[in-house]
Amino acid sequence: MTSRTEPPEGHEPIDLGTEIKAGDQIVDRAAGKLAEKLGEANPELALKPEAPKQNTIKMVVDYGPLVAFGLTFFACSALKLVEKPMALVWASGVLGAASVVALIAGLIMEKRVAWIPLMSCLITIPFSVLTVVFKDPTFVKIKMTIVDAIIGSILLGALVLKKEPLKALLGDSLKLKDAAWPKLTIYYALFYYAMGATNEVIWRTQSDDFWVTWKLVSMIGGPIAFSIVLLPFLMKNLETPPEEKAD
């Protein structure tokens, strides 16, 4: 049943149902625009509605090893399958094996070399092997710091050499003004340095349970949160299409 509100004299009746529906459509359009911009800010988040299956596979391939690491650690701890310090050692072994499986799965199912599992194989496996061989979880803990420091240094080093790696990686999906790319590179470098510094503080001062939780949350949620923080900067520096300039 549609509610109608009596208008002031001389005006047409107001249909509340129609007004609410129109308001919902405006909110939906705004949410769609936000999701679109978020996808442009971070292509890893740009889920395509027409291909939900492919997106699910991609998420599993990219983040499956990390989830397997967390599940193994907490299962070993909760079920007391091994002594507490050894839970991280077992989880590290699973992380290395899962990284290889994810890389192969990406090649078979998506016909692509998934860059997250590839980086995991190149960097994670040596640290996982050291952790398992020496039964010392320190190796897997400092790995995160080293990786973040390397990424931050590569970005700043490229900037010094007047290279724009982010533009090369994201330029097709993120159309920014030329002056914005160096700033974005600095922001991402500082983000990775901050992540590495935070990791150092946490693993040295907190329990293994807390550190593993931090690792899972930061590696999955960190880039998402950072992309959201960058949205105002990105939207301000989006390149205006030629047809819009003409208008």
Side-chain angles (χ1 to χ4, degrees), residues 61 64-65 93-108 114 116-122 124-126 128-129:
V61 168
V94 169
L95 177 62
S99 297
V100 175
V101 171
L103 185 63
I104 295 172
L107 284 170
I108 295 174
I116 292 179
L118 178 60
M119 292 300 292
S120 293
C121 284
L122 294 177
T124 299
I125 289 179
S128 296
V129 170

Side-chain angles (χ1 to χ4, degrees), residues 20-64:
I20 291 172
K21 183 177 180 181
D24 288 343
Q25 290 173 345
I26 292 173
V27 172
D28 289 343
R29 285 197 295 272
K33 280 290 182 184
L34 177 60
E36 180 183 336
K37 296 303 180 186
L38 185 59
E40 291 172 351
N42 187 347
E44 292 298 315
L45 307 176
L47 303 182
K48 299 177 181 178
E50 68 275 13
K53 182 178 179 181
Q54 286 79 356
N55 286 317
T56 301
I57 293 174
K58 183 179 185 305
M59 293 293 286
V60 171
V61 168
D62 287 349
Y63 295 105

